[in-house]
Each structure stands twice: as C-alpha cells, then as structure tokens.
Amino acid sequence: MRRFAALLAALSLASAQAKTDLQVVWFTEAPAEQTIFDKYVLMYEKANPDVDVSVTYVPFQQLTQKLQLMVAGKTPPDVARVVTANIAEFDPVASDLGKYTNGTTFANQFLSSQVPYIKKGNRVIGAPLDVTANGLFYNKDCFREAKVAVPTNPLRPWTWAQWRQALETVTKNSKCRFGLSFDYTTLRFSTMLYQAGGRYLDASGKKMAVNTPQSERAIDFFADMVKDGLIPRSQWLSGEDPSSLFKSGLSAMYMSGNWNLTQLSQVKNFQWGVAPLPKDKIRSTVPGGKFLMGFKDSRNPAEGAKFIQWLTGKDINIAFSKDNMTLSARKDARGVKYGTFDDEIAIYQSDLSITPSYVGRDWSNPAMAKINTFIRDQIVKVLLGQQTSKQALEAITAEGNKNLK
Amino acid sequence: MNYRTRKGLVPYLFVAPNTLIFSLFVLLPMIYGLGFSLFDGNFTTGLGNFVGLQNYQELLQDGAFLRALLNTLWYVGAVVVMVVVLSLALALMLKETTLASSIARVGFYLPVILSPVVVGVAWRWMFGTELGIINALLTMTGGSPIPWLTDVTWARVLVTLASVWSMTGFYMVLFIGGLNTIPTDMYEAAEVDGASPAQRFWKITVPLLVPTTMLVTILATINAFKAFEIILVLTSGGPGDSTKLLVQNIYQSAFEGGNPSYASAQSVVLFAVLMLLTFVQTRIARED
C-alpha cells in the first residue's frame, strides 16, 4: 500500500513537472483588472491542461522597470502586457510571432492604426490587446448645476473657445471648484497638439516637424488654462493625482482616456459621462493601446505565442474587452455592443475614426518613447515661465532629431 | 594546520560572512557600474560598444544633470546644517532622563520609523496647493492660499523641512549618547571656576562632541545625497526640475530614458563626490 502511494506521488510529481510553465507579466491600473485576467488564465489552463500559467502582477508605474531588469538579467517573461512605448523599446528582444503563424494574416486582423506598432518589416513583434483613445470625462451634476450643455454628437463638438468658456462657467456656478483635471503625460497633452494641426514627425518619420505655429498655439492654450487656474497647477507642477480630484467630485472635467471606464464605474457620489473631444483646426484623439508581446530569450516563446494568439483571437478578445470595458483592436469587433457604456464607447470610436493616420505613426516611432519625458519637461518649463512655447518646441526638435539619428 | 595558523585564521572567519555579502551585493555591482559607464549599452543590447569617457564628457554638457547636481549640493548643505543644529539642540534639551523628556524623545523619534513614502504623503496632505489642509485653513480664515508645492522657492523649502523632520530624531539620539559620555565633573569644575552656561557649552560640550558631530555630519551627508522617496512623493522633483536631485535624475536616465550606461556614469560621479566629502570630513575630524 505504501509503495502504491509512493508510486502515485511520483507519478503526480512527474506529471506536474511535465507541465509547461508559462510566465506572464501583467500590469494593472485597477484592482478589477486582476480579477478579470485571473478568470481568463483559468480558462486558458482549462483548455490547455499541460500549461501552468504563472502571472506576476505589477502596477503600471513599475512595468517598464520590471521588464527592463528582466530583459537585462536574461530572464524575460514568456508574455507581457505592455503599452505603446514598451513595444518600441523592446523591439530588439521581441519574439517574432511570424515564426509561429502567418505574420501578415495575423497582423491584418487588427485595426490599421495598431499595425505600425507590431509590424516591423517582416516581423510581428506583438499583438494589440485593445485600442485606447484619449478622451474627456465630465461631472454631469456640475454641468447641470451650472446649466451648461455638453455636446452629445461627436460630429458637432465644442471648439476650444467654447470648451474654455464652458469650463469657466461651470467652475463659477457649481460645486466643482476646478475646471479640468489633466493627466501629467505628454500623450494626453498631445491630443491638443494634434487638434491644433501640429504633429511631431514629418512624413518620412526621420525628422521632427513639431516646431510650427500650430504646435505653439497648443502649448500656449494649455499654458493659459494652467495659468488661469482652470487646470490645477499642482497636477503638472508637483505630481498631484488628477484622477483623485475628478473622482472626489471637485473637478468638472478630466482629460484622460477610455481605460478609466471600469475604474470610474465605481464612482457613486456623482453622475459622470464622456464628452466628445473639442476641436480646433481638426478633430483628433491619440490612439494608443495595450499590447501583448513575447520575448525571444524567454523559456517558452512558442507557448507564449500560442497564448497571445488565444487572447487576441476573436471570441476571447471580444469577451475580454467587454469585461474590461475596453475597445477591442480587432477589425471584426467593430459595432459590438457592450451592454453598458455603449454611448460613451461610441464617442471614443468616433474620435478614433476621425484621427489622422500620422498620429499613430508618430507614436509607433521608437524615438518618441525616448523623448516622451523630455517633451513633458519642456512644457512644464513653459508653465513656470522659464521659456516660451517657441523655445520649448526648438528644444524638443533638437532632442528629437538627435534621437532619430 | 597547526594551532597558530588556525588561531590566525579566526578573525578572518569572523569577518568572512560580511565580506562575502559586501563583495557580492556592494563591491561587485559597483565595479560593474563603473565598467558599464564606459560603454553605450542599454537594457536590450547589454554592454554595447566601448565608448571610454564619452558618457562623462556628455555629463559636463548636460543641463539636466548639472541642475540636478546643483540642486543636490544645495539640498545637502541645507539639510545637514539644519539636522546637526536641530538634533544637537534637542539632545541638549532632552539629555536628562525624566518622564517628560522620555515622552518628548519618543515624539521626536517617531518620524524616523515612518516610511519616507508616508512622510511624503502626510506632508502633501498638509501642504497640497489645491487640496492641502493648511491652505484650506488659510482660505477659511480669509487668507490667500500659498503655492507650497507649485512655487520653486516654497517647494525647495518644504522638501528640505520634510527631510529634516524625518531624520532629526535619529541624530538627536546619537547626540544624547555623545553628551552622556562627557564626564559631569568637568562641568562641575567649570561651574566652580565661574564659567557661564555659554562658556561651558563652547569650551566643554562642543570640543568633546566633535567625534559625534563628525559622525552625524557624515551620516546626514550620505543620507541627504541619497534622498529620493520623500521628494518623489512630495513634488516629483518639481516644479519643473527645481527639487529634482541626482538620485532621481539617475533613475530617470536609466529607466525612463532607457540609458543605464549614462545613468551609471552619473552614479560614479555621485560616488566620487561622496567619497571626497567623507574623506575631507574625516581629515578634519582627525586634525581636531
């Protein structure tokens, strides 16, 4: 009997050892994301009994550092959930999905705005998990109290002047003391740069093209809103969290993006909605996204590629997007109804559909990841009155061209 | 192995574990960092090409690095002076062991055991420009809010004060220890000779506290050079880069700029500055 038990234990140990251990690094921005992903991990393990998925959850702020150190230490994960800046940075060490499936057919499943991020020559270095769009949240209670109407049709949004006027009126006539919470990122600011008709790179992608009167106008308009107190100074000058201010009900609007839908669904102290982005010279948002990528030096790149294909496949990806309230990056997901927030999602989709293609090309260029912080620092110097917008653009151009070389 | 050899090996065996840990986790990374600073590598390519002193040459023309270095020197100077003066003053007031002084000592020591992140968050709650308690009180009492963390001068002052507040208690304890080693009969003899309290302080306390003062100065200097978390939470190095210190600049160069070789060169410079300062301080102490 004892021998039989030992044999059973040895057999179960052997079968456990035979399992493929799939290492996944998954960043989260809200606790709910972890619960949702756990569900899909279980589904994958059930469908693939020979695979054991080990997930390392990291907060978004620590993702890049975590991956950099894993790659430098030659222990990269098999799969990582990354953002646009990461996919460009880790391109040299990325696993080529084209080795495990038809690369072109695989890439063509996704929206054309996301393809430049993953298709590098003949290689496919990742897969879009979802597409993101910058957008404006607003406090419905405050706008109602101030009797200011918010456009509902994305085709007829506010102009910049109307937007500013609305913010001024709401801060004067409602309990919202602050006009606009604004994420402290270059990407979010860039929404305005593109709306003003500016862009970072020229058509060749080899030279900066940001030093224009249009870009200058965007910086000046933004700086004026900070100077006049419509955007709280502390958010861009001392790292105060913009989302907290909006969630506390003190800010009339919040410039962020669609990935906040899940988090904001927890807000119960006021009603909120999504407003179409205002327009200046043109309408534009900034498309971005979350991607899945594998690493060629990982222990199980083939299993990693299989997992990536599974999670970005039609049925699973659409279900995953609905659970997370994110926009699927698959072409065949267009028009899918989510059941909740359908009106809000339609606004993001409208903003994305009208955004010029050069916006995505700008941000898929690896040089943008390198000068991202530099651009933000130059804008802050304008806010502090240490330089003009023209000087900021000259500095950004010089730094960008250096990195493009 | 004879008895004499075995006896001679004993001291080395005692220090061996510490030497091994120090070599593995401090010395080796230091040597690797020094070597890495001579290459143009990054996280994905590894070491990259040998570039000699090019990273160091770039440092000399890098405005962000020079500003961070200047900010660091300014911050270290202010913090060390305030810490030494305040901790000595507290130690003098609380050196007698009574119930009240014991309670006060615990009170002043409490910030030391708080995580720097907690200190940063607490100060941000108090001094936040838009949502801080102090500005809310000022507004309620008819005053105007003060841009504590969004004005360059105020931000520098607050960052310094928060750091001083968080570390003074620790150095106070060192000073109390130092004060207790001074023989009381020296004070009694000076009192009999008619020395005033000020004379007793300058002629007895200060000279006999030199070793403790040097220790406090060196430790405070090293800690101030390594300051990171409190400032990151309180101002993120802002407004602009007015409170960004060298350690934050190194971190950003490595992990945000994706340039660990360049960050290594900055770390070597920081190490050299610290070595130089420590050397000067110990020389002064020896001469005294």
Side-chain angles (χ1 to χ4, degrees), chain A residues 319-363:
Chain A
F320 183 80
S321 303
K322 282 183 177 179
D323 283 349
N324 281 290
M325 302 286 173
T326 53
L327 307 174
S328 172
R330 293 186 59 86
K331 283 177 183 165
D332 47 19
R334 187 165 287 176
V336 165
K337 292 289 173 198
Y338 285 68
T340 46
F341 298 124
D342 280 328
D343 293 343
E344 287 80 3
I345 287 167
I347 290 173
Y348 289 116
Q349 281 170 331
S350 173
D351 283 336
L352 277 170
S353 67
I354 205 81
T355 298
S357 57
Y358 57 74
V359 180
R361 282 203 301 275
D362 270 5
W363 287 92

Side-chain angles (χ1 to χ4, degrees), chain B residues 103-187:
Chain B
I103 293 168
R105 280 182 201 175
V106 171
F108 286 113
Y109 193 80
L110 267 179
V112 179
I113 57 171
L114 291 178
S115 147
V117 176
V118 173
V119 173
V121 170
W123 278 65
R124 182 179 265 285
W125 279 349
M126 287 192 297
F127 291 97
T129 303
E130 277 97 13
L131 298 174
I133 296 164
I134 296 183
N135 271 354
L137 288 173
L138 279 173
T139 314
M140 274 167 63
T141 51
S144 308
I146 295 169
W148 300 110
L149 300 175
T150 53
D151 174 80
V152 173
T153 311
W154 274 118
R156 284 179 173 159
V157 169
L158 276 177
V159 157
T160 310
L161 289 178
S163 304
V164 169
W165 179 79
S166 71
M167 58 173 89
T168 300
F170 174 73
Y171 299 111
M172 172 195 77
V173 173
L174 293 187
F175 272 124
I176 289 174
L179 285 170
N180 287 334
T181 61
I182 301 173
T184 46
D185 50 4
M186 293 185 80
Y187 289 108

Side-chain angles (χ1 to χ4, degrees), chain A residues 65 68 177 234 237-238 240, chain B residues 124 130-131 149 239 251 255:
Chain A
Q65 188 185 344
Q68 283 168 334
R177 281 164 49 200
S234 58
L237 297 182
S238 66
E240 187 82 53
Chain B
R124 182 179 265 285
E130 277 97 13
L131 298 174
L149 300 175
Y251 177 85
F255 297 110

Side-chain angles (χ1 to χ4, degrees), chain A residues 61 64-65 68-69 71-72 74 89-90 92-93 177-178 184 232-235 237-241 245 250 369-370 373 376-377 380-381 384 386, chain B residues 42-46 67 124 128-131 147 149-152 232-242 244 251-252 254-258:
Chain A
Q61 292 80 0
T64 306
Q65 188 185 344
Q68 283 168 334
L69 294 176
V71 167
K74 307 283 183 211
E89 181 180 356
F90 295 114
V93 289
R177 281 164 49 200
F178 305 101
Y184 180 40
R233 283 176 68 81
S234 58
Q235 289 174 0
L237 297 182
S238 66
E240 187 82 53
D241 177 24
L245 197 67
L250 291 172
K370 290 182 182 164
T373 309
R376 197 184 65 186
D377 291 347
V380 168
K381 281 186 180 176
L384 285 168
Q386 293 172 349
Chain B
N42 59 43
F43 292 109
T44 53
T45 61
R67 270 192 304 279
R124 182 179 265 285
T129 303
E130 277 97 13
L131 298 174
L149 300 175
T150 53
D151 174 80
V152 173
L232 196 71
V233 176
L234 199 52
T235 63
S236 299
D241 49 13
S242 57
K244 192 198 281 183
Y251 177 85
Q252 286 185 335
F255 297 110
E256 289 178 17

Side-chain angles (χ1 to χ4, degrees), chain B residues 84-97 101 105 170-187 197 200-213 215-216:
Chain B
V84 171
V85 172
L86 284 174
S87 54
L88 177 60
L90 288 174
L92 286 168
M93 285 190 286
L94 304 173
K95 70 174 175 175
E96 304 300 335
T97 306
S101 73
R105 280 182 201 175
F170 174 73
Y171 299 111
M172 172 195 77
V173 173
L174 293 187
F175 272 124
I176 289 174
L179 285 170
N180 287 334
T181 61
I182 301 173
T184 46
D185 50 4
M186 293 185 80
Y187 289 108
R200 291 202 295 271
F201 175 74
W202 290 110
K203 302 288 181 186
I204 299 172
T205 309
V206 171
L208 291 180
L209 265 187
V210 165
T212 312
T213 312
L215 178 71
V216 167

